[in-house]
Amino acid sequence: MNKLLLFLVITASILLVGCAKKPLLYTSDTVMEDFEPNYLDFEFLSARGKVMIEDQSGRITKGTLNIRAQKDSVVWFSLSPGLGIEAARGIMTTDFIKIRDRINGNTIDMDYATFETRYGVALTLSLIQNLLFANIPHEYTFRDRMVRVGQVFELTQERDNLIYRSTISARHGKVTDLQSGTKRKDGGSLSANYLDFKDVESQPFPYKAIVNMVLSLPDKPRSKMSMNAEIVKVDLTNAPLSFPYNY
């Protein structure tokens, strides 16, 4: 084999190996033709499941979790550890977030800008809704970075000083893993792993999830909360639901 032919063979081999390992990259100057994120379509939703919550100190609370939602308007929850006792109740709208922890006597009642300033996590109703239903955190745009590796998409989005890294199944278009990080030294973070999906009216719904939130507390070390949830029943309806908050 002459030197020129040998050089061409080696060069072709290197290119083929490189092409085999290189993921398909979507950037701002290409069309995301293959990416089809799946958003839960509903008007009103009610769900019930089992939940286990562990706080920074290692204290564990187990109970029944009830969720109600009106799409893009309200998310409501109630946590009961048993015997009909309600431990916590919360409501999130487009304007504010309210949570009452009856066991520890803590209350959150503020708008989202104040929540971010106090706890270091930028929340919105849209983000909370997407986190609950395994949607991508934010609507994707051409400023986002996406890589396809095999049967998953890896999406990186930067919003409000937070960087979200989502792994999305190419099979059903739902997030299976979400990690976030902040540019702020005192900022918080969110992460979620969705372990099981089941069909709800021909739509994939996350029935098992582990959610972690790190909050930056004033004059205290950052606090981590972990929640392991398993949904047992989901109902989608067009009939209005109530969202009681006051005790």
Side-chain angles (χ1 to χ4, degrees):
M1 184 179 294
N2 61 49
K3 292 183 178 180
L4 177 59
L5 183 57
L6 179 61
F7 174 78
L8 292 175
V9 170
I10 294 173
T11 302
S13 299
I14 293 173
L15 289 174
L16 287 173
V17 171
C19 290
K21 292 183 177 180
K22 185 177 181 180
L24 181 60
L25 178 64
Y26 295 80
T27 57
S28 58
D29 58 353
T30 59
V31 180
M32 301 178 183
E33 295 178 348
D34 295 335
F35 182 53
E36 297 182 1
N38 193 324
Y39 296 90
L40 184 68
D41 184 23
F42 71 99
E43 183 62 31
F44 290 92
L45 173 148
S46 62
R48 186 176 73 253
K50 299 177 292 183
V51 67
M52 181 177 70
I53 299 174
E54 182 177 359
D55 63 19
Q56 182 73 17
S57 66
R59 180 176 52 189
I60 294 176
T61 301
K62 297 181 180 180
T64 299
L65 178 67
N66 285 286
I67 298 172
R68 298 178 187 176
Q70 180 180 3
K71 187 177 181 179
D72 300 329
S73 297
V74 183
V75 172
W76 174 96
F77 76 89
S78 174
L79 173 63
S80 302
L83 301 177
I85 300 173
E86 186 177 62
R89 181 182 292 193
I91 186 169
M92 288 76 75
T93 71
T94 55
D95 299 318
F96 60 79
I97 176 170
K98 296 183 179 183
I99 299 175
R100 289 188 177 182
D101 179 352
R102 299 183 68 179
I103 293 179
N104 300 303
N106 298 324
T107 300
I108 293 175
D109 187 349
M110 60 191 69
D111 59 27
Y112 293 106
T114 304
F115 186 92
E116 180 181 2
T117 300
R118 186 167 300 180
Y119 297 107
V121 176
L123 288 181
T124 63
L125 176 67
S126 176
L127 180 59
I128 292 169
Q129 184 174 267
N130 290 336
L131 188 67
L132 281 174
F133 306 137
N135 303 331
I136 60 175
H138 298 277
E139 183 177 357
Y140 71 91
T141 69
F142 290 112
R143 62 176 171 163
D144 300 331
R145 180 178 175 84
M146 187 185 300
V147 177
R148 178 165 183 171
V149 182
Q151 295 301 308
V152 300
F153 292 95
E154 296 178 356
L155 175 65
T156 302
Q157 300 177 294
E158 184 174 340
R159 304 286 191 278
D160 301 316
N161 294 315
L162 275 174
I163 299 174
Y164 301 89
R165 294 180 176 87
S166 305
T167 300
I168 304 106
S169 170
R171 183 172 60 87
H172 53 58
K174 284 292 190 180
V175 174
T176 57
D177 181 82
L178 169 66
Q179 305 293 326
S180 75
T182 179
K183 293 183 175 180
R184 292 173 44 183
K185 292 182 179 179
D186 60 343
S189 64
L190 291 167
S191 68
N193 298 102
Y194 303 95
L195 308 175
D196 183 34
F197 289 85
K198 294 182 180 179
D199 180 87
V200 175
E201 296 189 9
S202 301
Q203 300 183 78
F205 189 91
Y207 266 66
K208 292 183 181 180
I210 299 174
V211 179
N212 295 305
M213 179 181 291
V214 176
L215 300 178
S216 179
L217 302 180
D219 303 321
K220 294 181 181 180
R222 294 201 302 172
S223 177
K224 180 179 179 180
M225 182 193 73
S226 298
M227 182 180 72
N228 191 327
E230 180 176 353
I231 302 299
V232 296
K233 184 179 181 182
V234 180
D235 291 313
L236 308 183
T237 178
N238 292 323
L241 299 174
S242 61
F243 304 95
Y245 178 72
N246 293 327
Y247 290 86

